[in-house]
Amino acid sequence: MDSVKLSSKGQVIIPKPIRDAYHWDTGQELTLIDTGSGILLQPKAPFVESALDDVAGCLLYTGKPKSIVEMDNAVAEGLKTQFYDCS
């Protein structure tokens, strides 16, 4: 079992064999999970790389362009329906 020391800046060095085993390179972002009896480090899941064409398909609109006021009104109506209409 490896042990590490907490520095005065609150940093720890993860031993190289552990970093290598998990393929953690410099700059790897980690999440800390409080387990109640300690902490668990897990790699932060990166966003899946995608192209704009793959994700912008839902943005296709062939009608007349909406004004900012019309978009604001639509958002307000959606919020009203979602949070205030209890019928």
Side-chain angles (χ1 to χ4, degrees), residues 2-86:
D2 290 312
S3 66
V4 296
K5 287 185 181 181
L6 187 65
S7 77
S8 61
K9 293 183 180 183
Q11 299 171 332
V12 295
I13 296 173
I14 300 170
K16 184 162 177 39
I18 303 276
R19 294 191 318 262
D20 289 345
Y22 288 94
H23 309 288
W24 292 348
D25 293 320
T26 301
Q28 171 72 52
E29 290 189 57
L30 303 169
T31 57
L32 282 87
I33 301 167
D34 184 349
T35 66
S37 62
I39 59 168
L40 172 65
L41 294 175
Q42 289 186 325
K44 184 176 179 184
F47 287 106
V48 176
E49 236 181 272
S50 58
L52 182 59
D53 291 340
D54 296 336
V55 296
C58 65
L59 302 176
L60 297 178
Y61 178 72
T62 57
K64 177 185 166 201
K66 302 291 184 186
S67 70
I68 296 295
V69 171
E70 289 173 313
M71 289 187 276
D72 286 345
N73 289 340
V75 169
E77 187 62 34
L79 289 171
K80 179 182 170 192
T81 300
Q82 185 175 356
F83 293 105
Y84 298 111
D85 286 352
C86 297

